[in-house]
Amino acid sequence: MSLFTAPATPAGPDELPAHVQLAMSRDDTPSEGLPRDDARDRRVAAEGSVVERWYLAGAEGLADDVLALLEADPDGRVCAAACSERLMRERFRLD
């Protein structure tokens, strides 16, 4: 189980609201039944519904270009989710 919280954060001319993300998974089962499919992710980011794009923004292992598409999404909820994912990547980078 992991919990991520973020305070309100400036994001360009706007501000991302404070938010909480909770993820629960089991070690003996994959959280997603299928391996990452970058081509599918690109299609969803470009053509999917707001809900599909929002869920995609929180997926682990997204290609950088897919995450960039979601960060530039016209829907603020998708953009906020993608910006949060980017923040998590930067904060928990294992370099």
Side-chain angles (χ1 to χ4, degrees), residues 9 17 20 36 39 47 54 56 59 69-70 72-73 75 81 86 93:
T9 309
V20 174
R36 284 260 53 94
E47 303 167 4
W54 183 82
L56 179 62
L69 278 172
L70 295 168
D73 197 279
D75 189 285
R86 176 78 66 190
R93 185 169 286 155

Side-chain angles (χ1 to χ4, degrees), residues 35-71:
R36 284 260 53 94
D37 180 346
D38 291 339
R40 179 193 172 282
D41 292 346
R42 287 183 186 92
R43 281 193 307 277
V44 171
E47 303 167 4
S49 71
V50 170
V51 172
E52 289 172 318
R53 296 189 321 268
W54 183 82
Y55 273 105
L56 179 62
E60 289 185 32
L62 286 178
D64 286 334
D65 65 311
V66 174
L67 187 56
L69 278 172
L70 295 168
E71 288 174 309

